[in-house]
Amino acid sequence: MTSLLAALSRTVGSAFAAEGLSETFGQVQVSDRPDLAQFQCNGALAAAKYLNGRPADGGPAGAKTNPRAIAEKVAARLKADPVFAQVDIAGPGFINLSLSDAALNGHVQALAEDPRLGAPQTGLDADGAGRIAVIDFGGPNIAKPMHVGHLRSSIIGDCLQRLYRANGWRVVSDVHMGDWGLQMGQLISQIEIEGIAPVYFDPGHEGPYPDESPVSMDDLEVLYPRASAACKADPERLEAARRATVDLQAGRPGYRALWKHFVRVTEVGLTREFASLGVKFDLWNGESSVDAAIPPMLDDLKKRGLAEMSEGALVVPVAEESDKRPLPPLILVKSEGGVLYGTTDLATIIERVREFDPQQILYVVDHRQHGHFEQVFRAAIKAGYQGRAELEHVGYGTMNGADGKPFKTRAGGVMKLHDLIGMATGEAARRLAEQGIGADYSDAERAEIARKVGIATIKFADLSHQRTTDYIFDLERFSTFEGKTGPYLQYAAVRIQSILRKAADLGAKPGTPAIHSPEERRLILQLLGVGDVMTAAEAGRAPHILCEYAFELAQNFSRFYGAHHILSEPDEGLRAARLGLCALVLAVMTRTLDLLGIEVPERM
Ligand code: ARG
């Protein structure tokens, strides 16, 4: 279905066209002053500006067109249309519009019957086929536990993949693990130095390597920081790590076998972590997945003169005349022969274009990597590797602790995602108990509710902040059942579920929603905006727009619920309409929360 704003813009656009003006001036928006009108159109001002600014009319002053005069002509046409209950002009020429209840009722009925529940079709191309987006997010690193930096990428990326799919896109999500860089060589050399598994380093070894990993995830978590500290302190030690990286990439069998163990051991933990977050990926690729594509890419870049040697390294210069700050070249191969993060990212573009031919590739990665993506994108475009894809770095700010520094454990260590989820779930359980919620449920159900509420606490806190800003993670504030929080919205949805359950027990059926009071009008107007909100959230890659919407919907529902009888309404028709409205609010609320990756418990 077309959104209400789109339908209104078309109507008002025709009125402009009938006055000989472009129908694009008919763009309608939600009113800035809901006390005066539901909608407004500012096109008369733009139209006057356009007419007065035309070179042909650039003559003497006095011949100027007054925006109010245009607004009056357009308004006169709109007044004849029965969908409008109110058309008037404010200030210099704003057209204020309100719809008749009958018109709104018609729209809300269409929404209730729409199988897509008002979702826009921004992902469809002209032939009605879904456009393709690759979304690269998560990005955990092998041999390191996921920390809160990866949390933001996972939560925001997952919200975008859900939203894109709801809007009609075909999405390919890729976790793109960090599994091919220097940190792998640091680990391998550390294991050699500590003599942990000599067989992988024995040049005389023949036959297969052991199936069982010589190191556990716990071992890796100790070994990696040790290796990295040693490399920082000692240039020779770093050199050994570099050599190990080059040998790994060149295919030395013992190193590859060891590396596979690292990957497998880490993946067990990652799978658990992503499952508890409710985040799924289509592809579990990593930097190493494009290993075979790198040599032909390097040949191609060299042959076409796009890559050149600079200080012993192979680089692609990407600086442009207009750069305010100098952008260093993208380094493809270092002097000792190892490939880098940018090399794998560039080759990954080639592979994604070859496999999926996407229209968009989004990278949901910390905004501090902006320079890296700028280099990679420029190199890709220079070489024409991007196909028809738009490349976009969807950056985000840092999740900080109360001290304004990146979120840490109490002891000052890196906060692991697993522990953060544990903390949030524990806090949810405590609050639920405090409110006496679920006292008579089974332990298993109570634990499941706490899990859902804990995850909702973290996700809503993260998504409700404007993506690019840093924010302070305040568990106390984000876990309350009052205010703009995940738990509050879950609670609001559960309350509606319980009304509908009681109604079903009483044999009362939900009917078609319709306006009988100001509270219902307001709620219905908000419901009718859902498609535009999903469009705006997609366009800005802006989950916080969905969060705002869900919060406002809960508040508008609360006002409606506080002002009217529902189950106890004696008039059967009115009761049915109100139950129908409850059902529609629940459907839109549940879908919006689902886009945020938040599950609604059956009861709480
Ligand atoms: N592994 C990287 C990190 O931890 C993030 C990967 C992001 N994706 C990409 N294609 N570069 O910073």
Side-chain angles (χ1 to χ4, degrees), residues 136 139-141 150 176 178 287 341 345 363 365 369 372-373:
D136 176 320
N141 297 316
H150 298 116
H176 201 81
E287 295 164 1
Y341 187 41
D345 261 334
Y363 297 80
V365 185
Q369 294 193 25
H372 163 76
F373 286 107

Short mmCIF file of all heavy atoms in Angstrom, two decimals, residues 136 139-141 150 176 178 287 341 345 363 365 369 372-373, ligand 1:
data_model
loop_
_atom_site.label_atom_id
_atom_site.label_comp_id
_atom_site.label_asym_id
_atom_site.label_seq_id
_atom_site.Cartn_x
_atom_site.Cartn_y
_atom_site.Cartn_z
N ASP A 136 27.75 -6.09 5.73
CA ASP A 136 28.94 -6.63 6.37
C ASP A 136 28.92 -6.09 7.79
O ASP A 136 29.03 -4.89 8.02
CB ASP A 136 30.14 -6.11 5.56
CG ASP A 136 31.51 -6.49 6.11
OD1 ASP A 136 31.70 -6.46 7.33
OD2 ASP A 136 32.40 -6.78 5.28
N GLY A 139 31.93 -8.64 12.44
CA GLY A 139 33.38 -8.47 12.31
C GLY A 139 34.23 -8.89 13.49
O GLY A 139 35.23 -8.24 13.80
N PRO A 140 33.88 -10.00 14.17
CA PRO A 140 34.72 -10.42 15.30
C PRO A 140 36.07 -10.93 14.81
O PRO A 140 36.21 -11.25 13.63
CB PRO A 140 33.92 -11.55 15.94
CG PRO A 140 33.14 -12.14 14.81
CD PRO A 140 32.79 -10.97 13.92
N ASN A 141 37.02 -10.99 15.70
CA ASN A 141 38.36 -11.42 15.33
C ASN A 141 38.68 -12.78 15.93
O ASN A 141 38.32 -13.06 17.07
CB ASN A 141 39.38 -10.39 15.80
CG ASN A 141 39.16 -9.07 15.10
OD1 ASN A 141 38.94 -9.02 13.89
ND2 ASN A 141 39.18 -7.99 15.86
N HIS A 150 32.26 -4.88 19.09
CA HIS A 150 31.58 -5.74 18.12
C HIS A 150 30.09 -5.81 18.41
O HIS A 150 29.29 -6.13 17.53
CB HIS A 150 32.18 -7.15 18.14
CG HIS A 150 33.62 -7.17 17.75
ND1 HIS A 150 34.61 -7.55 18.60
CD2 HIS A 150 34.23 -6.81 16.59
CE1 HIS A 150 35.78 -7.44 18.00
NE2 HIS A 150 35.58 -6.99 16.77
N HIS A 176 32.11 -11.49 8.18
CA HIS A 176 33.46 -11.02 7.84
C HIS A 176 34.44 -11.01 9.02
O HIS A 176 34.86 -9.96 9.51
CB HIS A 176 33.41 -9.63 7.20
CG HIS A 176 34.65 -9.34 6.40
ND1 HIS A 176 34.84 -9.81 5.13
CD2 HIS A 176 35.79 -8.67 6.71
CE1 HIS A 176 36.02 -9.43 4.69
NE2 HIS A 176 36.62 -8.74 5.64
N GLY A 178 37.77 -11.37 11.27
CA GLY A 178 39.18 -10.97 11.16
C GLY A 178 40.04 -12.19 11.43
O GLY A 178 40.24 -12.58 12.57
N GLU A 287 38.30 -12.63 6.32
CA GLU A 287 39.30 -12.01 5.45
C GLU A 287 40.00 -13.09 4.62
O GLU A 287 40.36 -12.86 3.47
CB GLU A 287 40.33 -11.27 6.31
CG GLU A 287 39.73 -10.10 7.07
CD GLU A 287 40.63 -9.58 8.21
OE1 GLU A 287 41.73 -10.14 8.39
OE2 GLU A 287 40.20 -8.65 8.90
N TYR A 341 44.74 -5.80 5.79
CA TYR A 341 43.31 -5.59 5.96
C TYR A 341 42.66 -4.98 4.71
O TYR A 341 41.61 -5.41 4.24
CB TYR A 341 43.16 -4.66 7.17
CG TYR A 341 41.77 -4.40 7.69
CD1 TYR A 341 40.83 -5.43 7.80
CD2 TYR A 341 41.41 -3.12 8.13
CE1 TYR A 341 39.57 -5.17 8.33
CE2 TYR A 341 40.17 -2.87 8.67
CZ TYR A 341 39.24 -3.89 8.77
OH TYR A 341 38.01 -3.62 9.30
N ASP A 345 39.94 -6.54 2.04
CA ASP A 345 38.68 -5.83 1.83
C ASP A 345 38.45 -5.51 0.35
O ASP A 345 37.32 -5.58 -0.15
CB ASP A 345 38.63 -4.53 2.67
CG ASP A 345 37.84 -4.74 3.96
OD1 ASP A 345 36.97 -5.63 3.99
OD2 ASP A 345 38.10 -4.02 4.94
N TYR A 363 28.94 -1.43 5.15
CA TYR A 363 29.92 -1.90 6.14
C TYR A 363 29.57 -1.25 7.47
O TYR A 363 29.74 -0.03 7.62
CB TYR A 363 31.34 -1.47 5.75
CG TYR A 363 31.82 -2.08 4.45
CD1 TYR A 363 31.44 -1.54 3.22
CD2 TYR A 363 32.66 -3.18 4.45
CE1 TYR A 363 31.88 -2.08 2.03
CE2 TYR A 363 33.11 -3.73 3.26
CZ TYR A 363 32.71 -3.18 2.06
OH TYR A 363 33.17 -3.72 0.87
N VAL A 365 30.68 -0.64 10.69
CA VAL A 365 31.96 -0.72 11.39
C VAL A 365 32.22 0.61 12.12
O VAL A 365 31.85 1.68 11.62
CB VAL A 365 33.12 -0.99 10.38
CG1 VAL A 365 34.44 -1.20 11.12
CG2 VAL A 365 32.82 -2.19 9.48
N GLN A 369 37.22 3.70 11.70
CA GLN A 369 37.81 3.06 10.52
C GLN A 369 37.41 3.80 9.23
O GLN A 369 37.54 3.26 8.13
CB GLN A 369 37.38 1.58 10.45
CG GLN A 369 37.96 0.77 11.59
CD GLN A 369 37.83 -0.74 11.38
OE1 GLN A 369 37.74 -1.23 10.27
NE2 GLN A 369 37.81 -1.47 12.48
N HIS A 372 40.12 4.04 6.52
CA HIS A 372 40.37 2.75 5.87
C HIS A 372 39.35 2.52 4.75
O HIS A 372 39.71 2.16 3.62
CB HIS A 372 40.28 1.64 6.92
CG HIS A 372 40.11 0.26 6.33
ND1 HIS A 372 41.15 -0.43 5.75
CD2 HIS A 372 39.02 -0.53 6.20
CE1 HIS A 372 40.71 -1.59 5.31
NE2 HIS A 372 39.42 -1.68 5.56
N PHE A 373 38.08 2.73 5.06
CA PHE A 373 37.06 2.47 4.03
C PHE A 373 37.15 3.46 2.88
O PHE A 373 36.91 3.12 1.73
CB PHE A 373 35.66 2.41 4.66
CG PHE A 373 35.47 1.13 5.42
CD1 PHE A 373 35.44 1.10 6.80
CD2 PHE A 373 35.36 -0.09 4.74
CE1 PHE A 373 35.31 -0.09 7.50
CE2 PHE A 373 35.23 -1.29 5.42
CZ PHE A 373 35.20 -1.28 6.81
N1 ARG B 1 37.48 -7.34 12.24
C1 ARG B 1 37.37 -5.92 12.16
C2 ARG B 1 37.57 -5.30 13.53
O1 ARG B 1 37.45 -5.96 14.55
C3 ARG B 1 36.03 -5.48 11.60
C4 ARG B 1 35.73 -5.98 10.21
C5 ARG B 1 34.77 -5.08 9.49
N2 ARG B 1 34.49 -5.47 8.13
C6 ARG B 1 35.29 -5.26 7.08
N3 ARG B 1 34.94 -5.70 5.89
N4 ARG B 1 36.41 -4.60 7.20
O2 ARG B 1 37.83 -4.11 13.60
#
